Each structure stands twice: as structure tokens, then as C-alpha cells.
Amino acid sequence: DMGMRMEESNDAKFENQAMFSCGSLAPKLRRGGGCMDHGFTREKEPWEATDGAIYMLRELALTQPDLLPQFMPQLLEVSRLRLSSFRHCSNLLETIWKQLPSIVHNMGKKKFKAYLDEFLPPLFDTLACGHRLCEAAAGICIDAFRKMFGDRIFAGHLNDQQRRLMEDSPYVTQSNGMAPVGIALAEQRGQGSFM
């Protein structure tokens, strides 16, 4: 009977059987280890700590936005990294461009305007970097900035090359309001969300 509770059953088929980790059909490697204990550890890489720090900045922006300006120079420095800098640089750039709109929103666009022109070159470099997830994240950030600052004000901060990149990118909402082509095509193909 499916309605029978485990503790009500004395059936031997429930005793001394292999235990399985949640979310996996693989047996647990050790008793008492929990879902994530696979019996190995490694040192965290510097990019992982930086990635976590970006999320911390996003959270700090919610509670103490006045503290954010002191961290903008470091965030700017990280945003200038190139994909060739290290193996997982794409993950870090993706995090920056996905989280920066929330950080700016909570920090206040007036305070962030002092940094906007400095963030634009690495943002547009990422928009054309050749890594689709990074490009999509940069496109999402650009769309958020256009909405936050207004199209005209944002466009006034761009050089001609950046304007062309924005107009030609399949990851930026078109000036006629059409959704980003690259993201819409990927979702139609079932490749999931870029968020």
C-alpha cells in the first residue's frame, strides 16, 4: 500500500539498502556525508571569490548604498579583464554584467553616472567578445542602462563604434522595441534562458 508510512513497516526490503544522494541516482559515497559531500575538496580560485564579492556588492547595495562608491574602482578593474585572462573569465564577466544593473539601481543612477563612461568600454568589449553568454549578459546590461538613464542620455555617452555595436548586436533590444534577436532565437530553439 503506497499510503503506508515507513515507520509502520517492518518489511526487510527497507533495511540495509544503498542510500542515494538527493538529486542523484548515484549512491552516497559516505554515510552521514550529506548531499554535497563527495569526499574531496579544493582551494577556491581567486575568480570564484571575486564572483562572490560581486554578489555581495549587489546585496550591500540594498542595505547600504552609500558604501558602494568605494568599491566601484575595483569592480571597474575586474570588468576590464579579457576572456584570455584566465580560464573562467567568461563566468566572471557574465556575473558583472548581470548584476551591475541591480547594483546601479540601488546605488542610484545619479551616483553611478560618475562611473558610467568608464564602464562603457569594457561593457561594449564584452558585447563583441565572441562568447555568447557574455555577449547576452552585456546586452541585458545595456538594455537596463538604456531604460534607467533613457535612450538619448545613454546614447550621448557612446562613441560611434559603440553605437554601431549596439545597433548590430543580436543581444540588445532594437531601437524599434523589438526583442533581442539572439536571445529570442536561443529561447525558440529550447536553449533556455540567458538569465
Side-chain angles (χ1 to χ4, degrees):
D1 178 15
M2 291 298 286
M4 182 186 300
R5 294 176 55 179
M6 287 282 286
E7 53 271 347
E8 294 173 355
S9 172
N10 291 329
D11 197 333
K13 68 182 174 184
F14 296 114
E15 301 293 324
N16 296 318
Q17 297 296 317
M19 293 176 26
F20 293 88
S21 297
C22 59
S24 169
L25 294 178
K28 288 175 83 170
L29 296 176
R30 290 192 284 158
R31 278 207 180 275
C35 295
M36 298 305 290
D37 187 354
H38 302 290
F40 65 89
T41 59
R42 65 169 177 77
E43 293 292 317
K44 75 177 160 217
E45 294 183 29
W47 78 268
E48 292 170 312
T50 304
D51 192 74
I54 294 166
Y55 285 100
M56 294 281 292
L57 279 178
R58 184 196 65 194
E59 296 304 310
L60 183 65
L62 289 170
T63 59
Q64 297 183 3
D66 292 338
L67 296 178
L68 287 177
Q70 67 183 314
F71 298 107
M72 287 296 116
Q74 292 91 343
L75 187 59
L76 180 61
E77 183 181 339
V78 173
S79 76
R80 291 179 175 148
L81 294 171
R82 296 295 122 237
L83 288 178
S84 60
S85 300
F86 55 94
R87 189 171 146 210
H88 295 287
C89 189
S90 61
N91 300 72
L92 191 54
L93 291 173
E94 204 180 327
T95 298
I96 290 170
W97 304 126
K98 283 183 178 180
Q99 301 310 315
L100 190 58
S102 292
I103 292 169
V104 172
H105 174 76
N106 291 309
M107 175 182 183
K109 65 182 182 181
K110 194 172 187 176
K111 287 182 184 173
F112 182 75
K113 269 190 179 179
Y115 305 97
L116 177 61
D117 290 335
E118 293 182 75
F119 273 97
L120 291 176
L123 176 59
F124 278 88
D125 286 347
T126 305
L127 185 64
C129 72
H131 188 280
R132 287 174 53 189
L133 291 175
C134 288
E135 290 177 353
I140 290 166
C141 186
I142 289 168
D143 280 346
F145 282 178
R146 287 171 67 191
K147 188 174 182 178
M148 246 184 266
F149 296 106
D151 274 332
R152 286 187 186 158
I153 292 172
F154 184 72
H157 287 268
L158 305 180
N159 62 36
D160 290 338
Q161 181 184 9
Q162 291 168 337
R163 279 191 202 92
R164 278 192 302 279
L165 274 172
M166 188 171 71
E167 291 167 6
D168 295 342
S169 173
Y171 300 107
V172 177
T173 300
Q174 303 305 305
S175 57
N176 62 6
M178 294 293 291
V181 177
I183 294 174
L185 286 175
E187 287 177 348
Q188 285 175 357
R189 289 188 211 127
Q191 294 178 357
S193 169
F194 285 96
M195 296 300 279

